[in-house]
Amino acid sequence: MSAVVTAVPAGLEVLEHLCRVAAAASPAARGLLSTATSGLIGRGWLPSLDSLIETTSHTLDIPTADLRAELPWLQASGLLEIADSKVISLGCLFTTRKTALTLVLDDRHAIHLLGPLAALAAPIALAHAGEVRGKCALAVPLRLLADAEGVHTRDPDGLALFLPAQQPGQTLPEVMAAGVFLADDDALAAWQAQHGEPAGMPVLAMFFAMAAGDLGGKLGRALAPLFSHLPDFD
């Protein structure tokens, strides 16, 4: 009997992919991601790739050869983005590039986020309360408050979002970064019309809390094991 293949709704391809690859990550891959995330949270920047590998090896007692062997898979999966021998995005959530959204944990450095789905998932993935600050696609300021269970407060209250479908040739971090928050449903409709009704998943304000719980929760819980292999982030 053949298996039933269920099509992934447009806009959720990246979520389904990340959940699948996160479950397949090896201990060495998880160690690299944990060390990199800890450094980004603690210092606000990332070392060179060579330094990251040496630090991970020393901290977790994993041979450097095993860590380097994971790099092709981590890059192909979208869990690690590397340019010029530096890590520039982690777990398809965090990036060293400047974006319109940042996550602040306590009084630490602001961490740039790869789009709205990353904003919904990151506090859950890190099991840490935080505040997302930034601007929507039409430059309206926004603020999300979250704890380890996810987003519980949003401003503006009518906040909506759009998750784009993956396009041919796009990397997973590029898909994540293409998502947008909009200040309300009217702004969402106007943005969609302006962009030629792109394929993807619009989330109206009335469904925001459901999306934050279901989509952000699913991705955050899937990625959490990738960031939990160090004693803590302090």
Side-chain angles (χ1 to χ4, degrees):
M1 184 175 179
S2 61
V4 176
V5 178
T6 304
V8 176
L12 297 187
E13 301 95 339
V14 63
L15 185 153
E16 295 299 328
H17 171 85
L18 289 172
C19 289
R20 186 169 62 253
V21 298
S26 70
R30 296 196 300 268
L32 274 171
L33 292 167
S34 292
T35 304
T37 304
S38 178
L40 183 62
I41 291 171
R43 296 186 299 270
W45 55 274
L46 287 168
S48 69
L49 184 59
D50 287 345
S51 180
L52 173 62
I53 290 171
E54 291 297 331
T55 300
T56 304
S57 178
H58 176 75
T59 303
L60 299 178
D61 195 26
I62 300 174
T64 58
D66 291 355
L67 295 171
R68 290 191 182 279
E70 293 297 326
L71 295 178
W73 182 85
L74 281 166
Q75 292 180 82
S77 69
L79 292 173
L80 206 62
E81 189 179 9
I82 299 170
D84 298 326
S85 298
K86 289 190 176 182
V87 177
I88 57 175
S89 76
L90 297 166
C92 251
L93 298 183
F94 314 113
T95 179
T96 58
R97 298 189 185 101
K98 185 176 181 180
T99 69
L101 299 169
T102 60
L103 173 66
V104 177
L105 305 174
D106 303 323
D107 294 322
R108 307 181 211 201
H109 303 280
I111 307 165
H112 288 283
L113 297 170
L114 284 170
L117 185 55
L120 300 181
I124 301 171
L126 296 177
H128 201 296
E131 179 178 345
V132 175
R133 304 168 184 168
K135 294 183 179 180
C136 79
L138 301 181
V140 176
L142 65 88
R143 180 170 172 259
L144 304 173
L145 298 180
D147 55 26
E149 301 301 314
V151 173
H152 56 75
T153 304
R154 64 186 186 270
D155 181 25
D157 189 56
L159 200 63
L161 62 102
F162 186 84
L163 302 176
Q166 186 173 6
Q167 300 301 315
Q170 274 189 315
T171 66
L172 272 296
E174 287 172 343
V175 180
M176 289 287 278
V180 291
F181 281 120
L182 283 308
D184 53 36
D185 291 346
D186 289 341
L188 171 60
W191 183 91
Q192 289 179 273
Q194 180 183 356
H195 289 79
E197 304 295 341
M201 177 172 288
V203 177
L204 300 176
M206 68 181 297
F207 299 117
F208 187 97
M210 184 182 299
D214 292 350
L215 305 183
K218 180 177 181 178
L219 182 57
R221 289 189 296 271
L223 294 178
L226 304 182
F227 306 135
S228 60
H229 293 265
L230 298 181
D232 56 45
F233 291 122
D234 294 319

